[in-house]
Amino acid sequence: MPSSPPASAAVVSRKQPRQARSNALLAAVLEAAVQVLAEQGARRFTTARVAERAGVSVGSLYQYFPNKAAILFRLQHDEWRRTSALLAAILDEESADPLVRLRRLVHAFLASECEEAAVRGALNDAAPLYRDAPEAIAARQAAAAIFDRFVAAAAPSASPDRQALAADLIRTTLRHVGSAYSEVPRTPAEIAIYADALADMLCAYLERLMADGPLRL
């Protein structure tokens, strides 16, 4: 069984494009990679298949990505970036009530999980290739910080331990429920109903935390 890359250099891009033509080539490669990943899965994902789908030579692809792990990590990194932006845009909106923000997040997150289920599932299968890279660890920490910040502001009277527990519980529940629920195709109506039920549960938990204050031992 292949081991994880020993250093982040194994999964990062060789260079960044600086000209319009190079940007177009990179965009074509990444779009082709998404298509190959969704259709073939992580096990059958190869640089040759990506290059063929993109209509470029393998040599051109290697200008930007040294191996398939680097392509997969770029796709995963882009997905993390989109997810973090979604989390921050909703949870950091201080003008909205925390419970309203959490409900909005549940709906948006679940819809996103279902929309990109094929690619997300394949990226999860490929995670051992880059799971321990510093960039991967930093991305996970950044996402966790958004939930930590949200819960701390929503329930300031709760102890730090209870805040940390709540943030981890909400984040973990969303991740696992979203992954499991999106394994089969869902209609928008089905997603909305399920998201409402999940939001009811999480909002009730957060509301209790907001009301209870510090934990008394």
Side-chain angles (χ1 to χ4, degrees):
M1 182 174 66
S3 59
S4 299
S8 61
V11 296
V12 297
S13 305
R14 289 189 188 275
K15 66 178 183 179
Q16 294 298 318
R18 296 183 178 180
Q19 299 179 350
R21 183 177 179 182
S22 297
N23 277 310
L25 187 150
L26 179 59
V29 168
L30 292 174
E31 178 60 29
V34 170
Q35 294 173 8
V36 172
L37 187 62
E39 296 171 6
Q40 304 287 338
R43 292 180 180 274
R44 292 176 56 81
F45 184 92
T46 65
T47 54
R49 286 192 171 97
V50 173
E52 180 181 9
R53 178 64 64 89
V56 303
S57 68
V58 174
S60 295
L61 184 150
Y62 282 149
Q63 292 181 43
Y64 300 99
F65 301 104
N67 48 48
K68 76 172 187 177
I71 303 176
L72 290 167
F73 180 75
R74 172 59 185 269
L75 296 181
Q76 179 67 86
H77 188 272
D78 288 349
E79 193 276 327
W80 280 331
R81 184 161 46 83
R82 289 191 298 270
T83 299
S84 291
L86 173 69
L87 296 176
I90 296 175
L91 294 184
D92 287 345
E93 188 183 353
E94 295 181 358
S95 61
D97 182 85
L99 298 177
V100 172
R101 280 181 268 166
L102 182 55
R103 183 169 294 277
R104 288 175 182 168
L105 178 67
V106 172
H107 277 265
F109 183 82
L110 205 59
S112 176
E113 286 286 300
C114 291
E115 181 180 349
E116 302 177 4
V119 172
R120 288 178 190 266
L123 285 173
N124 287 336
D125 291 340
L129 292 172
Y130 47 74
R131 179 172 47 212
D132 298 325
E135 295 86 355
I137 295 172
R140 291 194 294 269
Q141 291 174 338
I146 296 172
F147 282 97
D148 290 341
R149 187 165 64 243
F150 167 71
V151 172
S157 62
S159 69
D161 285 345
R162 295 195 74 197
Q163 290 175 352
L165 173 63
D168 183 66
L169 188 149
I170 293 171
R171 182 178 68 252
T172 302
T173 300
L174 281 174
R175 184 174 70 249
H176 287 290
V177 171
S179 176
Y181 186 72
S182 63
E183 286 181 352
V184 298
R186 309 286 185 176
T187 67
E190 289 174 331
I191 296 172
I193 292 172
Y194 199 88
D196 266 336
L198 178 59
D200 286 344
M201 294 170 57
L202 294 179
C203 285
Y205 172 70
L206 180 61
E207 189 172 21
R208 174 67 182 273
L209 182 70
M210 294 164 64
D212 282 357
L215 177 66
R216 293 178 175 81
L217 299 177

